[in-house]
Each structure stands twice: as C-alpha cells, then as structure tokens.
Amino acid sequence: MILLAVLATSLVPALIIFALPEERHGLRTALNLTGAVLKVALVGILLWDHAAGREHEVRIALMPDLPLVLRVDALALLFVSLSAALWLLTTIYAIGYLEGSPFRSRFFGFFSLCVTATVGIALSGNLITFFVFYEALTLATYPLVVHRGTSEALAAGRVYLNYTLGGGTVLLAGVVWLESLAGPIEFTRGGMLAPIADVQRAAVAGAFVLIVAGLAVKAAMVPLHGWLARAMVAPAPVSALLHAVAVVKAGAFGIIRVVDDVYGRDLVADLGLLTPLALAACITIVWGSLRAIAQDDLKRRLAYSTVSQVSYVILGVAIIGPIATVGGLVHLVHQGIMKITLFFGAGVLAETLGIHRVSQMRGVGRRAPLTMAAFTVAALGMIGVPPTAGFISKWSLGLGAAAAGMAGALRGRVLCGVLNAIYLLPIVYLAWFREPVGDWPAERPRRRLEAAPALLVPTLITGVVTLAAGLLAGTDLSPLSLAQQVDGDPSP
C-alpha cells in the first residue's frame, strides 16, 4: 500500500487545500510541506526496498481486463525520486514567491494535483494507467498556466490546451489501436510486442507513430513545441515545475517507456523507427538552441533551452547501445536539477530586482552573488562543462554515439554544445563582468540576504546538487548509478 500512500501525500493535501479559506495561510503551508516531506520519505523507503530486492505493486480492477496498475522498477524510481525531491524544493520556493498574492488556495491545490499526476505517471505499470495519469496532468497544469488571469495568461492557456489535448487525442488513438492488437499492455523490460509484430507489422508500426507523436507534444519536440514558450507567462514556480519535473519530463519519460518497455528497442529498430526518432531528436536539439539564442526575454530563452535539452533524453534512447541509453536516462534527472536551478534564479531576479531580460543582467552578479553563483553552475552544467551533472550525461551520450557508429549524432552533440554556450555564456558574462546599468529597486529594510530565504535556499540547494551529481557520479547513490540499473549495464 506504500504506492497508494505516495500518491495520497499530494492528493489529500490538494483536496483539503481547495476547501480552505484564502486567509488560512499557515494551515495551507503546513499541509503543503508535510505532504512534500512525507512523499520524499516514502520514496526513500521505496529506494531502500528496491536495493534490498523487495517489489511493490498495486492492481485496481476498474474494468474487466483493464486494471490500473502501479509498480516500482528502476526507471520508475529514477523519475519518482526526481519528482519528489524537486517538488519539496519547489513548494518552499512557491510559498515564498506567492507571498501576499491572491488565489493561493487554488494555486497550491492544483500544484499538488499536478505532482500527484506526475508521480502516477512515474509509477504506472501498464499503458492505460499511464494514459489516465498523463491526461490528468494536462488538466491539473492548465489552471497553473493561467493563474495570473491576464489576457496574455488566458491566451497562453488556450494554446497549451490546444496542443496538449490534441496530443492526448492522438495518444489515445495509438493506445486503443495497439491494445486492440495485443490486449492489455503491461510495461515489460525489453518489450512484449515481438510476436504480434511478426504478424501485423504495419499496424504495430502505425500505432508506434501515433503514440510517440502524442507524447512528443508534451516532450516539446519540433514542430510540436509551440506551447512551451507561450506558457512562460505563468509564475516562476510553475515554469520550474513544467520544465524540470512535470509536463515536459512526462513526455520524454513516456517515450522511454514505449520504446523500452512496450515495444523493445530491438523491435523498434527492426521496424525502421529508431533512426527517424533519433533524427527528430537531433532536429529539435539544434532548433531549440537556435531559437534560444534569439531570445532576450530570460524565461523564453530558458524555455527554448528546454526544447533542446529534453531531446537529449530521447536521442539517448534512440541510439542503440547501453552507453547512450544510460546518458539519456541520467540526463532526465540531471537536466531537471539544472533547469529548476535556472528558473529558480530567474524568479529571484524578477522578484527582487525586476529583471526579466538578458539585456538587463549587466552587473547583477554583484547585487545577487549567491543567486548568480547557483545560476552560473547550472548554466555551465547545461553546456556540459566538467565537473557538473551535465558533463556526465552529455559525455555518456557522446561516447554512446561514437560506440554506435552514429557520426552524425556525435557531430550534432558537439555542435549543440557550442550553441548551448552561445546562448548561456553571454548571460554569465553580463552578470559577472559588465558594469551595472540603471537603478535597481532599493532593498527592504533590514534584509541581509539578496532574496527571501524561501526563494534563495532552494536555488542554492539545487545549484549545489548540480555540482554534487557530477562529482559523486561514481557512487552507488548517484542518479548515474540508478540509470545504469535501469539499462542493466554497469559501466557506461
């Protein structure tokens, strides 16, 4: 029952928070933090049990032959650990960020529902359970995107729904088609469709195209990425959640599940679908980087960076070979840690100094040195500079492409490293090495820190973890070690 408890630690607080009067700030905060801490503790127990060889599974029979299944495996633990840890930090950050703003009960209610859906996606044991939580995530995140209630936010919300519900419709068509061919689809390492594919090859391939196309919307793959930059009108904690933990990661995670645990990589390669998937990922990586270079708005630049960076995960899955696979899987975690640091930093700068554009960041490192130190570490990680977390995953991807003989993917990896530097290093340079221009808002009386602790501390923690995940990559508790367990290969 621990799996149901993991879901309940965010679902129950959400339901209570919706019923709370707006002025019950203390109780709402206590519910949020208690649920987040309990979720981290329960995930810690799951990690311990997994290491000890104990298994967990829940089956709920909603309809004949279509049960909802929750199950723990190494891939589920990789994603649920990321979600639980970053949700706790994002909750602390959001409490500080939204202090004094209206509609906080509504915000934190849907915020908790969003995490419930994300954890459900991570723990799903079959395709229908995955689909249910995947679409619940769409409905839970829409109110967060439109939270400010401005015309711009409402327009962005409409775009978001058009993309994600359209993608969900395509995904549903693919799931129904595939289950009509093979029956209920359980996630099985190495896939379970090879016998059916021998008989109905074209149908199995067509269902794969539909399912991946539906998932590619949330994964923000080109040309289905148009919603992501528009959604940056949302508050900074929502942007952090969308990019690092929930929506974009759910799409990438779903593609991993389908390739590895529904079809099996050998079957996808035999169907001739891995190369197109790798090509689509490479195009997305390059296009996202080029679009990021052109953005002066800081959050939009980071949004297009996400378009590029998440497709590294998909590229790792599409390259045949254990080294690239491990690189893609560990980048699922590393990119989340680094990206949430960047969005936390952007939110601090916007709230304390009124900085929203790259061109406004001259000399900001002198005014907010701790925030910019964490931001700089995460930016260097995104580029792939050692010894950060990003270096570990991108080095593995490069080695994997070389080992698989995919020279094009390897050259693309090098090119995108250069493009990453082009859109991120100018931010770092302006912040640390240029003179300030204009006046910044005066500090609040008696403030000793550059931002409120609830904003600054989570930013510093994720910045430190960005370094630690790289420096301690060889330890048994690192994301790299868990990614190796997912692929079953001990040495990338």
PDB file of all heavy atoms in Angstrom, residues 38-60:
ATOM      1  N   LEU A  38       6.642  13.973   3.537  1.00  0.00           N
ATOM      2  CA  LEU A  38       6.228  12.571   3.601  1.00  0.00           C
ATOM      3  C   LEU A  38       6.488  11.855   2.282  1.00  0.00           C
ATOM      4  O   LEU A  38       6.899  10.681   2.266  1.00  0.00           O
ATOM      5  CB  LEU A  38       4.745  12.488   3.962  1.00  0.00           C
ATOM      6  CG  LEU A  38       4.380  12.752   5.423  1.00  0.00           C
ATOM      7  CD1 LEU A  38       2.863  12.743   5.594  1.00  0.00           C
ATOM      8  CD2 LEU A  38       5.017  11.705   6.331  1.00  0.00           C
ATOM      9  N   LYS A  39       6.249  12.544   1.177  1.00  0.00           N
ATOM     10  CA  LYS A  39       6.485  11.912  -0.126  1.00  0.00           C
ATOM     11  C   LYS A  39       7.961  11.573  -0.298  1.00  0.00           C
ATOM     12  O   LYS A  39       8.316  10.472  -0.750  1.00  0.00           O
ATOM     13  CB  LYS A  39       6.005  12.820  -1.267  1.00  0.00           C
ATOM     14  CG  LYS A  39       5.970  12.101  -2.622  1.00  0.00           C
ATOM     15  CD  LYS A  39       5.526  13.015  -3.735  1.00  0.00           C
ATOM     16  CE  LYS A  39       4.103  13.476  -3.576  1.00  0.00           C
ATOM     17  NZ  LYS A  39       3.138  12.359  -3.768  1.00  0.00           N
ATOM     18  N   VAL A  40       8.845  12.501   0.075  1.00  0.00           N
ATOM     19  CA  VAL A  40      10.279  12.229  -0.011  1.00  0.00           C
ATOM     20  C   VAL A  40      10.652  11.029   0.875  1.00  0.00           C
ATOM     21  O   VAL A  40      11.423  10.150   0.468  1.00  0.00           O
ATOM     22  CB  VAL A  40      11.092  13.473   0.393  1.00  0.00           C
ATOM     23  CG1 VAL A  40      12.576  13.131   0.539  1.00  0.00           C
ATOM     24  CG2 VAL A  40      10.914  14.578  -0.646  1.00  0.00           C
ATOM     25  N   ALA A  41      10.083  10.968   2.079  1.00  0.00           N
ATOM     26  CA  ALA A  41      10.386   9.862   2.993  1.00  0.00           C
ATOM     27  C   ALA A  41       9.907   8.532   2.418  1.00  0.00           C
ATOM     28  O   ALA A  41      10.627   7.518   2.475  1.00  0.00           O
ATOM     29  CB  ALA A  41       9.738  10.120   4.351  1.00  0.00           C
ATOM     30  N   LEU A  42       8.703   8.506   1.847  1.00  0.00           N
ATOM     31  CA  LEU A  42       8.180   7.265   1.276  1.00  0.00           C
ATOM     32  C   LEU A  42       8.988   6.825   0.054  1.00  0.00           C
ATOM     33  O   LEU A  42       9.229   5.624  -0.144  1.00  0.00           O
ATOM     34  CB  LEU A  42       6.705   7.447   0.897  1.00  0.00           C
ATOM     35  CG  LEU A  42       5.735   7.607   2.072  1.00  0.00           C
ATOM     36  CD1 LEU A  42       4.342   7.968   1.575  1.00  0.00           C
ATOM     37  CD2 LEU A  42       5.680   6.326   2.904  1.00  0.00           C
ATOM     38  N   VAL A  43       9.397   7.774  -0.761  1.00  0.00           N
ATOM     39  CA  VAL A  43      10.242   7.421  -1.906  1.00  0.00           C
ATOM     40  C   VAL A  43      11.590   6.881  -1.421  1.00  0.00           C
ATOM     41  O   VAL A  43      12.154   5.956  -2.021  1.00  0.00           O
ATOM     42  CB  VAL A  43      10.434   8.644  -2.835  1.00  0.00           C
ATOM     43  CG1 VAL A  43      11.504   8.370  -3.894  1.00  0.00           C
ATOM     44  CG2 VAL A  43       9.114   8.990  -3.523  1.00  0.00           C
ATOM     45  N   GLY A  44      12.099   7.439  -0.328  1.00  0.00           N
ATOM     46  CA  GLY A  44      13.316   6.893   0.265  1.00  0.00           C
ATOM     47  C   GLY A  44      13.143   5.428   0.672  1.00  0.00           C
ATOM     48  O   GLY A  44      14.052   4.601   0.470  1.00  0.00           O
ATOM     49  N   ILE A  45      11.979   5.084   1.222  1.00  0.00           N
ATOM     50  CA  ILE A  45      11.696   3.689   1.577  1.00  0.00           C
ATOM     51  C   ILE A  45      11.648   2.816   0.323  1.00  0.00           C
ATOM     52  O   ILE A  45      12.155   1.682   0.316  1.00  0.00           O
ATOM     53  CB  ILE A  45      10.371   3.601   2.358  1.00  0.00           C
ATOM     54  CG1 ILE A  45      10.510   4.308   3.715  1.00  0.00           C
ATOM     55  CG2 ILE A  45       9.952   2.144   2.558  1.00  0.00           C
ATOM     56  CD1 ILE A  45       9.200   4.435   4.473  1.00  0.00           C
ATOM     57  N   LEU A  46      11.037   3.334  -0.744  1.00  0.00           N
ATOM     58  CA  LEU A  46      10.992   2.572  -1.998  1.00  0.00           C
ATOM     59  C   LEU A  46      12.396   2.319  -2.534  1.00  0.00           C
ATOM     60  O   LEU A  46      12.691   1.217  -3.038  1.00  0.00           O
ATOM     61  CB  LEU A  46      10.159   3.319  -3.041  1.00  0.00           C
ATOM     62  CG  LEU A  46       8.650   3.425  -2.788  1.00  0.00           C
ATOM     63  CD1 LEU A  46       7.987   4.258  -3.878  1.00  0.00           C
ATOM     64  CD2 LEU A  46       8.019   2.040  -2.709  1.00  0.00           C
ATOM     65  N   LEU A  47      13.255   3.322  -2.455  1.00  0.00           N
ATOM     66  CA  LEU A  47      14.641   3.141  -2.893  1.00  0.00           C
ATOM     67  C   LEU A  47      15.337   2.064  -2.060  1.00  0.00           C
ATOM     68  O   LEU A  47      16.060   1.213  -2.594  1.00  0.00           O
ATOM     69  CB  LEU A  47      15.399   4.474  -2.801  1.00  0.00           C
ATOM     70  CG  LEU A  47      15.061   5.528  -3.853  1.00  0.00           C
ATOM     71  CD1 LEU A  47      15.606   6.888  -3.436  1.00  0.00           C
ATOM     72  CD2 LEU A  47      15.636   5.125  -5.209  1.00  0.00           C
ATOM     73  N   TRP A  48      15.120   2.120  -0.760  1.00  0.00           N
ATOM     74  CA  TRP A  48      15.722   1.126   0.142  1.00  0.00           C
ATOM     75  C   TRP A  48      15.217  -0.280  -0.190  1.00  0.00           C
ATOM     76  O   TRP A  48      15.989  -1.238  -0.282  1.00  0.00           O
ATOM     77  CB  TRP A  48      15.401   1.497   1.586  1.00  0.00           C
ATOM     78  CG  TRP A  48      15.972   0.550   2.603  1.00  0.00           C
ATOM     79  CD1 TRP A  48      15.398  -0.596   3.078  1.00  0.00           C
ATOM     80  CD2 TRP A  48      17.228   0.671   3.267  1.00  0.00           C
ATOM     81  NE1 TRP A  48      16.216  -1.196   4.002  1.00  0.00           N
ATOM     82  CE2 TRP A  48      17.351  -0.442   4.134  1.00  0.00           C
ATOM     83  CE3 TRP A  48      18.254   1.619   3.223  1.00  0.00           C
ATOM     84  CZ2 TRP A  48      18.466  -0.632   4.945  1.00  0.00           C
ATOM     85  CZ3 TRP A  48      19.361   1.427   4.038  1.00  0.00           C
ATOM     86  CH2 TRP A  48      19.468   0.318   4.871  1.00  0.00           C
ATOM     87  N   ASP A  49      13.896  -0.399  -0.372  1.00  0.00           N
ATOM     88  CA  ASP A  49      13.319  -1.705  -0.688  1.00  0.00           C
ATOM     89  C   ASP A  49      13.808  -2.221  -2.039  1.00  0.00           C
ATOM     90  O   ASP A  49      14.043  -3.427  -2.206  1.00  0.00           O
ATOM     91  CB  ASP A  49      11.793  -1.621  -0.692  1.00  0.00           C
ATOM     92  CG  ASP A  49      11.209  -1.553   0.711  1.00  0.00           C
ATOM     93  OD1 ASP A  49      11.979  -1.685   1.681  1.00  0.00           O
ATOM     94  OD2 ASP A  49       9.987  -1.354   0.841  1.00  0.00           O
ATOM     95  N   HIS A  50      13.935  -1.330  -3.008  1.00  0.00           N
ATOM     96  CA  HIS A  50      14.421  -1.750  -4.324  1.00  0.00           C
ATOM     97  C   HIS A  50      15.844  -2.283  -4.218  1.00  0.00           C
ATOM     98  O   HIS A  50      16.179  -3.312  -4.831  1.00  0.00           O
ATOM     99  CB  HIS A  50      14.361  -0.567  -5.294  1.00  0.00           C
ATOM    100  CG  HIS A  50      14.896  -0.890  -6.658  1.00  0.00           C
ATOM    101  ND1 HIS A  50      14.188  -1.640  -7.572  1.00  0.00           N
ATOM    102  CD2 HIS A  50      16.075  -0.566  -7.265  1.00  0.00           C
ATOM    103  CE1 HIS A  50      14.902  -1.769  -8.683  1.00  0.00           C
ATOM    104  NE2 HIS A  50      16.043  -1.127  -8.518  1.00  0.00           N
ATOM    105  N   ALA A  51      16.680  -1.600  -3.450  1.00  0.00           N
ATOM    106  CA  ALA A  51      18.054  -2.067  -3.263  1.00  0.00           C
ATOM    107  C   ALA A  51      18.087  -3.429  -2.571  1.00  0.00           C
ATOM    108  O   ALA A  51      18.991  -4.240  -2.818  1.00  0.00           O
ATOM    109  CB  ALA A  51      18.844  -1.040  -2.456  1.00  0.00           C
ATOM    110  N   ALA A  52      17.097  -3.691  -1.719  1.00  0.00           N
ATOM    111  CA  ALA A  52      17.039  -4.965  -0.997  1.00  0.00           C
ATOM    112  C   ALA A  52      16.316  -6.057  -1.784  1.00  0.00           C
ATOM    113  O   ALA A  52      16.168  -7.187  -1.285  1.00  0.00           O
ATOM    114  CB  ALA A  52      16.341  -4.757   0.350  1.00  0.00           C
ATOM    115  N   GLY A  53      15.841  -5.721  -2.982  1.00  0.00           N
ATOM    116  CA  GLY A  53      15.172  -6.723  -3.808  1.00  0.00           C
ATOM    117  C   GLY A  53      13.697  -6.898  -3.540  1.00  0.00           C
ATOM    118  O   GLY A  53      13.069  -7.828  -4.067  1.00  0.00           O
ATOM    119  N   ARG A  54      13.093  -6.026  -2.718  1.00  0.00           N
ATOM    120  CA  ARG A  54      11.658  -6.121  -2.431  1.00  0.00           C
ATOM    121  C   ARG A  54      10.858  -5.388  -3.510  1.00  0.00           C
ATOM    122  O   ARG A  54      11.243  -4.306  -3.933  1.00  0.00           O
ATOM    123  CB  ARG A  54      11.349  -5.554  -1.049  1.00  0.00           C
ATOM    124  CG  ARG A  54      11.839  -6.435   0.094  1.00  0.00           C
ATOM    125  CD  ARG A  54      11.378  -5.909   1.439  1.00  0.00           C
ATOM    126  NE  ARG A  54      12.127  -4.720   1.829  1.00  0.00           N
ATOM    127  CZ  ARG A  54      13.266  -4.757   2.525  1.00  0.00           C
ATOM    128  NH1 ARG A  54      13.794  -5.919   2.873  1.00  0.00           N
ATOM    129  NH2 ARG A  54      13.881  -3.648   2.861  1.00  0.00           N
ATOM    130  N   GLU A  55       9.748  -5.966  -3.923  1.00  0.00           N
ATOM    131  CA  GLU A  55       8.940  -5.404  -5.002  1.00  0.00           C
ATOM    132  C   GLU A  55       7.622  -4.861  -4.446  1.00  0.00           C
ATOM    133  O   GLU A  55       7.113  -5.331  -3.433  1.00  0.00           O
ATOM    134  CB  GLU A  55       8.657  -6.477  -6.062  1.00  0.00           C
ATOM    135  CG  GLU A  55       9.923  -7.000  -6.739  1.00  0.00           C
ATOM    136  CD  GLU A  55       9.610  -8.046  -7.794  1.00  0.00           C
ATOM    137  OE1 GLU A  55       8.417  -8.436  -7.896  1.00  0.00           O
ATOM    138  OE2 GLU A  55      10.540  -8.465  -8.501  1.00  0.00           O
ATOM    139  N   HIS A  56       7.072  -3.855  -5.156  1.00  0.00           N
ATOM    140  CA  HIS A  56       5.784  -3.261  -4.772  1.00  0.00           C
ATOM    141  C   HIS A  56       4.898  -3.179  -6.014  1.00  0.00           C
ATOM    142  O   HIS A  56       5.348  -2.749  -7.080  1.00  0.00           O
ATOM    143  CB  HIS A  56       5.983  -1.854  -4.200  1.00  0.00           C
ATOM    144  CG  HIS A  56       6.759  -1.830  -2.913  1.00  0.00           C
ATOM    145  ND1 HIS A  56       6.162  -2.004  -1.690  1.00  0.00           N
ATOM    146  CD2 HIS A  56       8.077  -1.650  -2.670  1.00  0.00           C
ATOM    147  CE1 HIS A  56       7.077  -1.928  -0.744  1.00  0.00           C
ATOM    148  NE2 HIS A  56       8.254  -1.714  -1.310  1.00  0.00           N
ATOM    149  N   GLU A  57       3.643  -3.557  -5.853  1.00  0.00           N
ATOM    150  CA  GLU A  57       2.693  -3.456  -6.959  1.00  0.00           C
ATOM    151  C   GLU A  57       1.277  -3.327  -6.405  1.00  0.00           C
ATOM    152  O   GLU A  57       0.940  -3.936  -5.391  1.00  0.00           O
ATOM    153  CB  GLU A  57       2.781  -4.678  -7.877  1.00  0.00           C
ATOM    154  CG  GLU A  57       1.831  -4.605  -9.070  1.00  0.00           C
ATOM    155  CD  GLU A  57       1.976  -5.793 -10.015  1.00  0.00           C
ATOM    156  OE1 GLU A  57       2.950  -5.799 -10.782  1.00  0.00           O
ATOM    157  OE2 GLU A  57       1.122  -6.695  -9.955  1.00  0.00           O
ATOM    158  N   VAL A  58       0.473  -2.515  -7.060  1.00  0.00           N
ATOM    159  CA  VAL A  58      -0.943  -2.357  -6.730  1.00  0.00           C
ATOM    160  C   VAL A  58      -1.748  -2.525  -8.006  1.00  0.00           C
ATOM    161  O   VAL A  58      -1.414  -1.936  -9.046  1.00  0.00           O
ATOM    162  CB  VAL A  58      -1.235  -0.963  -6.127  1.00  0.00           C
ATOM    163  CG1 VAL A  58      -2.732  -0.782  -5.905  1.00  0.00           C
ATOM    164  CG2 VAL A  58      -0.481  -0.775  -4.830  1.00  0.00           C
ATOM    165  N   ARG A  59      -2.829  -3.335  -7.933  1.00  0.00           N
ATOM    166  CA  ARG A  59      -3.740  -3.506  -9.066  1.00  0.00           C
ATOM    167  C   ARG A  59      -5.153  -3.156  -8.611  1.00  0.00           C
ATOM    168  O   ARG A  59      -5.637  -3.690  -7.619  1.00  0.00           O
ATOM    169  CB  ARG A  59      -3.706  -4.942  -9.602  1.00  0.00           C
ATOM    170  CG  ARG A  59      -2.434  -5.272 -10.345  1.00  0.00           C
ATOM    171  CD  ARG A  59      -2.435  -6.695 -10.900  1.00  0.00           C
ATOM    172  NE  ARG A  59      -1.236  -6.879 -11.698  1.00  0.00           N
ATOM    173  CZ  ARG A  59      -1.164  -6.689 -13.018  1.00  0.00           C
ATOM    174  NH1 ARG A  59      -2.271  -6.331 -13.677  1.00  0.00           N
ATOM    175  NH2 ARG A  59      -0.053  -6.864 -13.665  1.00  0.00           N
ATOM    176  N   ILE A  60      -5.781  -2.264  -9.365  1.00  0.00           N
ATOM    177  CA  ILE A  60      -7.162  -1.859  -9.070  1.00  0.00           C
ATOM    178  C   ILE A  60      -8.005  -2.166 -10.307  1.00  0.00           C
ATOM    179  O   ILE A  60      -7.787  -1.576 -11.383  1.00  0.00           O
ATOM    180  CB  ILE A  60      -7.237  -0.354  -8.731  1.00  0.00           C
ATOM    181  CG1 ILE A  60      -6.323  -0.038  -7.539  1.00  0.00           C
ATOM    182  CG2 ILE A  60      -8.673   0.054  -8.440  1.00  0.00           C
ATOM    183  CD1 ILE A  60      -6.190   1.438  -7.256  1.00  0.00           C
TER     184      ILE A  60
END
